[in-house]
Amino acid sequence: MFKNIIILIILASIIYALTYFYKQSKLELTPNMVTLKVETNDFNFSYSKREKESQIFSNVDVEQYILTSGEERLFFEQATIKGLYEFNYSPKEIINRLFNVKESNSIFTKNGLEALQLTLPNNQKINMFMLQNDNKELRLFYGLSDKAFSKSIEKLVGKKVNPIEATKLTKPISLWSTKVNDIDGIISSIDY
């Protein structure tokens, strides 16, 4: 009995220490802004207009938001996997497949949040934030100008970013409809 109590106390201490020291990163869409958070640092992108489109597949729901901020159009996407399915690849590989990436440069990865600079086959260049905390949900935020992307990275992790002459996008460019139902798709069943 005493041994079981000691084991429970040790387990509780370990769980407390992990939750205290592990600060999960955040990429969240709120009514007037997109919030990014890494440890104690956060950065907010405010926007004035929001349009929503939904794509519903048999085992994945994708919500796409087109956000207008001054002259910029930004894109926030959230994919949620249903039932006995999960993402089939690492987050970076999912992005490479979802956008047919020719070249990818990771700026930082911290507790699930990753900042990427992508080059597509047509030589469009895109700044992106991606968050995947589990195998059931993926959040993307892209279309940021070099200036906005650089400013946010510097605030979040204190790192300077080289500009890539990011392409100004007018619509979402992810390929959910093609990549979800592919033979070699980005999701797979966990029902063995």
Side-chain angles (χ1 to χ4, degrees), residues 54-147:
S54 296
Q55 295 183 41
I56 299 171
F57 304 99
S58 61
N59 33 15
V60 131
D61 290 341
V62 179
E63 293 177 346
Q64 294 177 315
Y65 297 89
I66 301 171
L67 312 171
T68 305
S69 177
E71 297 285 318
E72 273 190 301
R73 291 188 78 149
L74 306 171
F75 306 92
F76 184 94
E77 298 183 9
Q78 181 172 320
T80 307
I81 305 293
K82 298 177 192 173
L84 295 173
Y85 289 86
E86 67 182 1
F87 284 108
N88 206 16
Y89 301 101
S90 70
K92 194 168 182 181
E93 182 61 25
I94 293 168
I95 296 305
N96 288 342
R97 290 170 182 266
L98 197 56
F99 289 87
N100 285 334
V101 173
K102 181 168 101 177
E103 187 179 326
S104 173
N105 179 27
S106 179
I107 307 302
F108 78 84
T109 303
K110 195 78 165 174
N111 300 334
L113 183 67
E114 187 167 5
L116 298 161
Q117 290 180 318
L118 309 175
T119 303
L120 305 183
N122 61 3
N123 288 322
Q124 285 184 310
K125 298 188 185 300
I126 298 173
N127 293 312
M128 173 185 287
F129 287 99
M130 164 187 63
L131 178 70
Q132 183 182 21
N133 287 324
D134 60 35
N135 286 338
K136 294 281 199 180
E137 185 179 85
L138 178 69
R139 294 180 185 184
L140 308 173
F141 181 49
Y142 61 95
L144 294 86
S145 67
D146 288 334
K147 183 179 178 183

Side-chain angles (χ1 to χ4, degrees), residues 29-34 47-50 67:
L29 180 67
T30 62
N32 293 12
M33 66 183 60
V34 175
Y47 61 88
S48 56
K49 184 179 172 191
R50 171 167 110 174
L67 312 171

